[in-house]
Amino acid sequence: MSTYLIGDVHGCLVELKALLAQVNFDPLQDCLWLTGDLVARGPDSLDVLRFVKGLGDSVRIVLGNHDLHLLAVFAGISFNKPKDKISPLLEAEDADELINWLRRQPVLQIDEELKIVMAHAGISPQWDIDTAKLCAREVEAVLSSDSYPLFLDAMYGDMPNNWSPELSGLPRLRFSTNVLTRMRYCFPNGQLDMICKDSPDSAPRPLKPWFDLPSQVINAGYSIIFGHWASLEGKGTPEGVYGLDTGCCWGGDLTMLRWEDKAVFSQPSSKKK
């Protein structure tokens, strides 16, 4: 049995299947982890969801910001942007089934045996592992409930940007969602900056990538897996932190890490042909 971790798929089904074929992935024996953003920007969001859903218990995913945007569009809360290429999914006969499956997926995955933590964007330096679990479970609970449209309507926004255990209600859920699905930069005290999207060598002071601040989760012996940040190209993270989004939908590669031996596999985007 092997554990394979793959960066943001973004509707790139051909590349996903080719990458799994490189290692003869066997859903009866192996486990596949996906860093979120299954949909949008690439050509085959509908069939990616069908394929991943069909893998059943052999796959572990987290939701990304584009996955949440899809849920909001389907609920009539946000607009369908042509550049996201999700219209075939929204119009599919099994759209209800796929959306209801998607909104019941986690925003955080933890394997205590392997000591792996996976979130789409990362883990706040202000959180320890127990706080990360608690905040993730709160988001997951409301997403899987009948009141999920209320949450989706309120999740857009950059505030609050500083963690406090006293946060409650929709502001608390928004902070947690921003950490787990949107975060890139923090101030030195761990406070979120939700504006800067520059590369780390161009970011204004005193901002730092979240993973360059001391991590309570890393210090507790876990490794953190994330996607979301394609411009990193999988580089520049410290020991114990693995960024796997390498921009397949933009013409880059789809990247996979085999956890047991840390072997890295890549599949070039079909746009390169």
Side-chain angles (χ1 to χ4, degrees):
M1 172 182 171
S2 295
T3 305
Y4 297 101
L5 305 107
I6 295 182
D8 301 17
V9 176
H10 276 299
C12 296
L13 180 65
V14 170
E15 293 85 348
L16 175 60
K17 287 186 172 181
L19 190 55
L20 293 174
Q22 285 189 38
V23 295
N24 298 312
F25 174 76
D26 183 352
L28 298 179
Q29 298 186 39
D30 300 324
C31 185
L32 174 64
W33 293 51
L34 299 172
T35 64
D37 278 0
L38 298 179
V39 303
R41 306 301 172 91
D44 297 311
S45 292
L46 171 59
D47 288 329
V48 164
L49 283 194
R50 287 171 172 168
F51 175 72
V52 173
K53 180 175 179 290
L55 291 174
D57 293 340
S58 64
V59 66
R60 299 177 68 168
I61 76 170
V62 292
L63 298 177
N65 54 304
H66 283 276
D67 304 316
L68 293 177
H69 174 67
L70 168 64
L71 297 180
V73 171
F74 192 80
I77 291 163
S78 192
F79 295 104
N80 179 12
K81 303 172 185 177
K83 64 182 179 181
D84 283 334
K85 303 177 184 177
I86 56 174
S87 292
L89 198 169
L90 297 170
E91 298 163 2
E93 292 183 358
D94 54 346
D96 279 337
E97 178 184 348
L98 292 170
I99 292 295
N100 283 324
W101 169 80
L102 190 67
R103 71 181 178 91
R104 288 177 170 84
Q105 300 307 305
V107 291
L108 180 72
Q109 291 277 7
I110 300 175
D111 189 305
E112 292 291 354
E113 182 178 345
L114 299 177
K115 305 298 282 188
I116 298 175
V117 175
M118 181 173 72
H120 176 64
I123 305 295
S124 169
Q126 297 180 325
W127 284 353
D128 59 21
I129 190 66
D130 289 334
T131 303
K133 289 178 185 178
L134 174 62
C135 291
R137 298 297 91 87
E138 292 169 349
V139 173
E140 292 160 8
V142 71
L143 269 176
S144 62
S145 74
D146 292 339
S147 61
Y148 78 96
L150 176 65
F151 160 70
L152 292 172
D153 190 38
M155 73 175 177
Y156 294 101
D158 297 341
M159 300 298 290
N161 65 349
N162 195 47
W163 169 247
S164 168
E166 297 178 0
L167 283 175
S168 63
L170 291 172
R172 180 181 173 109
L173 292 169
R174 187 184 305 117
F175 177 85
S176 299
T177 303
N178 283 342
V179 165
L180 295 166
T181 69
R182 293 182 58 211
M183 171 181 66
R184 288 188 177 89
Y185 286 100
C186 294
F187 291 91
N189 65 352
Q191 179 179 317
L192 301 181
D193 174 84
M194 302 304 298
I195 298 174
C196 183
K197 295 184 179 180
D198 295 342
S199 61
D201 56 0
S202 302
R205 294 181 178 179
L207 298 182
K208 292 186 176 183
W210 63 267
F211 49 75
D212 279 345
L213 295 175
S215 169
Q216 299 178 65
V217 173
I218 294 294
N219 289 340
Y222 294 88
S223 295
I224 299 176
I225 312 295
F226 74 104
H228 184 57
W229 203 339
S231 63
L232 293 178
E233 298 180 341
K235 303 171 184 176
T237 57
E239 184 177 356
V241 180
Y242 300 83
L244 297 181
D245 183 11
T246 48
C248 184
C249 69
W250 309 112
D253 296 337
L254 191 63
T255 294
M256 175 169 63
L257 173 69
R258 184 166 57 206
W259 186 249
E260 285 71 21
D261 61 0
K262 306 302 184 291
V264 176
F265 305 85
S266 62
Q267 180 65 37
S269 168
S270 59
K271 290 183 179 181
K272 292 184 176 181
K273 296 178 181 179

